[in-house]
Amino acid sequence: MRNQRDAVNILYANSSGGIVISFIASCGLVFGFPNEKIEAYKTIWLAVMTVVLLARSIDWIVWKKYLSDTSFDPTTVTRRFVAGSMLTALVWSSFSLLFYAMDIIELSSTIIILAAMAGGATTVLSANRKLSIFYSSVLLVPASSVLAFSSQDFQQVLGYLGLMFSLVMIFSAIKASEFTSRAVKINNENADLLLQMENEKQAVQEANSNLEEKVKQRTEKIYELSNIDPLTGLFNRKAFLTDLNVFFADALKNNFSIGLLFIDLDGFKQINDTLGHTIGDKVLQLTAERIAKTVGNKQKICRWGGDEFLVVLPDLEADKASQFASSLVGCISEPFHFDNNHLSVSATVGIAMYPEHTVDADEIIRLADTAMFVQKKTQKSSVRMFSQDMKEALSREQTLKDGLALAIDHKQFHMNYQPIINSETGKVVTYEALLRWRFQDESVGPDEFIPIAEQYGSINIVGSWVLQQACQDIAQKFPESDCGVSINVSVIQLMQPNFLSVINHALKESNLAPSRVHLEITESVFAENLSLLKFQIQQVQNLGVRVSIDDFGTGFSSLSHLQNLGVNTVKIDRSFIRDFDKGGQAIIQATLHIAKQLGCEVVAEGVETEEQYQCLSSLGVKFLQGYYFAKPKTLDVLPSEPGETDERKRIQANHA
Ligand code: C2E
Ligand code: MG
Ligand code: MG
């Protein structure tokens, strides 16, 4: 089809010249040889030829204007062209047949013109073999044949010459058309090849661009995997540290400060443990969104660990960083509402400053973490700026923690005993066992190391050792007496499932009667499971051991605890005795009143003066303890008959 269309285009492209030449040649033949006899016929012939040529010209214009550049159907257009050309050939042929009785010059000229036209046709019409052969033959063969059979010699000669020329032209038309059709075919094949090449090139380009896109996507994915936390979409540790170093370099160049916030969520563990990880994850995502919104730039935030986030605040002084951190705490603490859940977490934030505290990226994170850690122990949901003494405190804590793990093996613990006196008789009823630790040539106080032992888990081993030692000491020192021993027990220790067997073991080993043992519980650590605490106390009491609430009125202890836990004794904290005149008296009276209602004994600790002793006695506090009577002492210096010794009198004698 395409070859056919190209052939038609060649025919039409060549035909305009052919039409013009045909018109000029016909005018030449008609007007070049005037002959009055046949002039009218010649004019008619010219008119016919002109009409045919005009029709062909119109056809050419139509092709040129509407078809040449389109994918037209070549069959009908070919038919039209062939019809026009054949008509022209027939009109030409008719000229020589109609007017062949010419003189020799006119006839020769006519034959020459027709031969020239036939010759031209072999080239001009070579795109259509049949037409080309037809045109060349029709123009000359009829006239030449007629002339060849003429009686006149010159006509015969012209006839034979015409016929021979026709044969040559037919041959030449065949050759030319073969050449043209091959050229068209090759041309189209080339075009096809070019198109194919173009398509292939485009396909390769597309494949390349797809490949580039894929490589780009993969690179982004790899970047994400290695730099972005998948849950929150924030930077992970690695990416954040890289960026932090860039911020530091910038700060060094432009001489500005940087604040680093270490954010640790408060209450997140409970959500995760009680509501499950899906809700926990959602809370983390929403928290990350809030932080990102407040900071305004995700590039400055990192998810450091489980519920820990970091924020870098470039070009910000310490006071502004603290203000920002406080607003962040406020924002994080707003309740979350999603999927019918109404939850809230809060956050404790530690801040360290560049270059004030350090110029090292790893170090600044550690320092901010330290500040957060210290603050979390004192007051959650708040902000703390790092300070050097904090670092020292933490390093001491670390040293003590490590030391505690080896203290029993290294025999660094020993017990001190401080009496509790019956204010009515002045006799010692119980000795409170107080743990002492000699560590690196220093005496470390229990107020310092017990919380560390509680925090890092060594309290259970230490507490078991104390229980055994205290029971054994008192049993050996006062084998015949009913003098008791008060042993301090941490809530963490008491809540251990094996606590009962520990105390049983201590009683069995020491052979001390359970009624001579008191456990003093301080709620320095809040007991989350109060019913379990109550159960454990009950179990202990079932053994015959009595239980006291120590430091009553401080920490987490409260009047409701007193009622719920069913303890035997309340030890009023020494701060109320010290501040007796500043409200302490009222609290002591209230405690006495409630204790009486609940059937509890009351002990007042920290009695340091005669005046305090008198006041407490007059209020009716039956049991007293404090430096006024005796300081804690080692076992070997205790009197062998506790009931016989009136410590108070001895101290009075010493004073005198
Ligand atoms: P606590 O149980 O309230 O012990 C009383 C603390 O007050 C003792 O301090 C004692 O020395 C001190 N004290 C006694 N009378 C006075 C006084 O008149 N004035 C003043 N200012 N202080 C007085 P210590 O031995 O330093 O013990 C501190 C805390 O450490 C104890 O408070 C107790 O809670 C804890 N603790 C001591 N030993 C142990 C133990 O073996 N296990 C546990 N879990 N905690 C212990
Ligand atoms: Mg105590
Ligand atoms: Mg106490």
Side-chain angles (χ1 to χ4, degrees), residues 212-230:
E212 272 172 28
E213 185 59 29
K214 268 189 193 152
V215 169
K216 204 174 139 208
Q217 282 174 0
R218 285 259 168 89
T219 314
E220 277 170 11
K221 194 85 202 152
I222 289 169
Y223 175 83
E224 265 186 40
L225 282 175
S226 59
N227 292 289
I228 305 291
D229 168 54

Side-chain angles (χ1 to χ4, degrees), residues 575-587:
S575 58
F576 300 111
I577 285 85
R578 188 189 58 217
D579 301 331
F580 192 81
D581 297 329
K582 294 177 220 153
Q585 183 182 353
I587 290 174

Side-chain angles (χ1 to χ4, degrees), residues 418 432 435-436 446-447 488 550-551 574 605-606 608 627 632:
Q418 186 184 26
E432 179 176 6
L435 183 59
R436 297 292 175 257
D447 274 336
N488 291 287
D550 203 353
D551 304 333
R574 67 170 176 268
E605 62 178 8
E608 290 181 348
Y627 294 167

